[in-house]
Amino acid sequence: MTAAVEYDVVVLGAGPTGENVADRTRAAGLSTAVVESELVGGECSYWACIPSKAMLRPVIARSESRRVPGVRHAVQGPLDAAEVLAHRDEYVAHWKDDGQVGWLDSIGARLYRGHGRLHGHRKVVVEGPENEHHVLTARHAVAVCTGSRAVLPHLPGLAGARAWTSREATSARSVPGRLVVVGGGVVGSEMATAWQALGSRVTMLVRGKGLLPRLEPFVGEHVAEALTEAGATVRTNVSVAAVQRNGGGAPVTVVLEDGELIDADEVLFATGRAPRTEDIGLETVGLEPGSWLPVDDSCRVEGSEWLYAVGDVNRRALMTHQGKYQARIAGAAIAARAGHVPLLETDRWGAHSATADHDAVPQVVFTDPEAASVGLSLAEAEATGRRVRAVDYDLAAVAGAGLYADDYRGRARMVVDLDREIVLGATFVGPGVGELLHSATIAVAGEVPIDRLWHAVPAYPTISEVWLRLLETYRG
């Protein structure tokens, strides 16, 4: 059966980014179709942010409670892994998307299940699960919101080794006795934290000098130290040469470049991501299949008047909250260009210019301890050629930190533009620092002068008092 239908907007991908594009275009009165080949809600809802944080929250809560007088003796036992995993399953709705589908219905968007491909100018062809064939034409815009996928390296034996990627790591039904984690980025560090606490003996294998290399160097040092104290083995400057597994429930053997063998029950490769654009018809509009899609600050694909690429696929900032931010920008831009919302009305706040992707991207890494950053690191700021200075402070010296937990360990860094006297970036590592991040984001995104930050008084005794200490240190 073939059906041809016309909409104002067609959205490829119903993850958080695609959902938010649809929400904004529907709110502007534009008819909108959404195409999804898997679960409505996407990677974040079922295999990334939500399940991983559901697994990590008990880990972090127990760890912090063990450092609080009057509570520590009550939480010395192991985590109930079965209960943690069951709680995770509830949070991902047991991998059913009825609730998300209901939400799409509530905003008046039309859902097409199946594989969608571009088919030339403003057209999308959808092959449904029961051989339905839909041809969708977009009057104004097609938004590609297909996200990214985990990448496995080309290693001998890996194809048949049933290695975990981030999806298996966040959806596994039982705790592996021994887990090797290859990669020291966010996914590797978070999953090592979770599974070590749930009962695995974790070995991390990292090619570089340390964990979380995109953050300030001291962050990875704190996280590696904590993982080691928890019982994990963290090995840096090592490379994997091959993987071996002989069928059934056999253990897996990881072969290092020097010939050393490491046996485990499971191996997780957290070694990067690629755009999910390899089979969405990019070649029919003059673009390369499998490529990242360069866009302008409204998320419109360079050289196109109607094609948008929003979220991970444009490679500006591979985080759910940034994808949702871009979706709000793109939705406003599409509506304005369609004439449904006055351009000046929506743009007076920069409503269709995704400037935060350049200067103020916030990120929390939910390890134990947490890490949080926004804006530029010291190295990144120096690379721009500006006169900058890093101001560091020991978080343990803040009164609120000692009250938060005994033996509090952490560090804060503020990167200042010396000529403009504004904050270019801030990084924190320590228990509970994720809640410090939005104040830092406001300071960076708002380009708040240092002289004004003096008048943002932190409540006492909270960890937020570190802002006062950073400013005092800067002034000397």
Side-chain angles (χ1 to χ4, degrees):
M1 180 180 72
T2 300
V5 192
E6 189 174 65
Y7 294 90
D8 291 322
V9 181
V10 177
V11 179
L12 272 180
T17 299
E19 288 178 320
N20 274 268
V21 172
D23 188 34
R24 291 305 167 107
T25 56
R26 284 297 303 130
L30 297 170
S31 60
T32 301
V34 181
V35 182
E36 177 54 56
S37 61
E38 294 186 296
L39 295 176
V40 176
E43 195 82 9
C44 174
S45 298
Y46 303 103
W47 299 286
C49 323
I50 299 304
S52 65
K53 302 324 169 268
M55 293 167 65
L56 284 158
R57 179 59 194 148
V59 174
I60 294 170
R62 181 185 66 162
S63 175
E64 293 181 354
S65 296
R66 284 177 168 178
R67 297 195 291 273
V68 178
V71 178
R72 60 168 59 99
H73 297 298
V75 288
Q76 289 304 312
L79 289 169
D80 186 331
E83 186 175 359
V84 171
L85 298 181
H87 179 65
R88 174 206 63 190
D89 294 353
E90 290 177 10
Y91 252 86
V92 298
H94 300 276
W95 289 274
K96 296 179 181 178
D97 63 1
D98 297 1
Q100 303 268 17
V101 172
W103 178 83
L104 271 184
D105 288 342
S106 75
I107 66 169
R110 170 65 192 275
L111 172 64
Y112 288 86
R113 289 197 183 271
H115 182 68
R117 302 181 81 256
L118 294 165
H119 192 66
H121 190 74
R122 300 179 192 266
K123 288 190 184 296
V124 172
V125 173
V126 184
E127 300 294 340
E130 298 180 4
N131 296 319
E132 313 99 303
H133 185 81
H134 303 280
V135 179
L136 312 180
T137 300
R139 298 184 190 94
H140 300 296
V142 174
V144 176
C145 308
T146 48
S148 64
R149 58 177 175 80
V151 175
L152 289 173
H154 298 291
L155 292 174
L158 184 55
R162 302 186 310 281
W164 282 6
T165 66
S166 53
R167 282 199 170 193
E168 290 76 20
T170 57
S171 61
R173 297 295 186 181
S174 59
V175 179
R178 300 162 298 172
L179 173 66
V180 169
V181 177
V182 182
V186 174
V187 172
S189 297
E190 288 189 346
M191 289 297 93
T193 299
W195 288 111
Q196 176 68 35
L198 289 170
S200 289
R201 296 194 302 278
V202 171
T203 300
M204 294 191 76
L205 304 176
V206 183
R207 290 184 64 182
K209 295 186 296 183
L211 304 185
L212 302 169
R214 297 192 177 185
L215 300 179
E216 299 282 10
F218 62 81
V219 172
E221 293 168 7
H222 275 264
V223 174
E225 181 182 12
L227 276 167
T228 301
E229 290 177 355
T233 300
V234 179
R235 298 182 59 179
T236 57
N237 297 308
V238 295
S239 294
V240 175
V243 180
Q244 303 168 353
R245 181 164 358 218
N246 297 316
V252 61
T253 299
V254 177
V255 184
L256 302 187
E257 280 192 340
D258 64 2
E260 180 183 352
L261 305 181
I262 300 175
D263 292 326
D265 298 288
E266 301 291 350
V267 57
L268 161 63
F269 277 84
T271 49
R273 300 191 69 79
R276 296 184 64 181
T277 59
E278 64 276 9
D279 188 24
I280 62 167
L282 290 184
E283 68 280 3
T284 71
V285 294
L287 297 170
E288 182 182 350
S291 64
W292 303 98
L293 300 177
V295 296
D296 63 20
D297 280 346
S298 69
C299 295
R300 187 164 59 177
V301 173
E302 293 178 357
S304 176
E305 294 184 351
W306 57 273
L307 184 63
Y308 291 73
V310 194
D312 281 11
V313 289
N314 63 36
R315 207 181 192 180
R316 288 164 69 102
L318 276 67
M319 283 168 276
T320 296
H321 48 272
Q322 291 300 123
K324 293 165 73 173
Y325 162 72
Q326 292 176 16
R328 297 191 290 271
I329 300 293
I334 291 168
R337 289 165 179 155
H340 276 235
V341 180
L343 182 62
L344 291 177
E345 178 181 327
T346 59
D347 202 39
R348 58 182 167 172
W349 297 293
H352 22 80
S353 184
T355 57
D357 286 343
H358 304 300
D359 303 318
V361 175
Q363 179 178 23
V364 178
V365 185
F366 293 86
T367 44
D368 176 24
E370 285 182 348
S373 70
V374 64
L376 302 179
S377 67
L378 175 60
E380 290 168 339
E382 289 175 335
T384 68
R386 284 177 275 201
R387 283 199 321 122
V388 297
R389 176 186 166 196
V391 182
D392 291 356
Y393 200 80
D394 181 1
L395 275 169
V398 177
L403 291 167
Y404 190 92
D406 284 353
D407 192 29
Y408 189 105
R409 283 176 282 177
R411 185 172 170 185
R413 169 170 287 179
M414 176 176 73
V415 178
V416 179
D417 183 320
L418 293 173
D419 294 318
R420 299 180 64 196
E421 287 216 310
I422 60 172
V423 179
L424 296 175
T427 300
F428 310 93
V429 62
V433 298
E435 298 304 330
L436 293 174
L437 188 59
H438 195 58
S439 58
T441 303
I442 292 170
V444 174
E447 298 183 343
V448 181
I450 294 289
D451 284 345
R452 288 303 305 157
L453 285 178
W454 275 103
H455 301 284
V457 181
Y460 179 87
T462 67
I463 302 174
S464 293
E465 197 179 21
V466 69
W467 278 105
L468 175 58
R469 304 305 170 210
L470 287 167
L471 293 171
E472 289 174 339
T473 304
Y474 174 69
R475 289 301 189 201

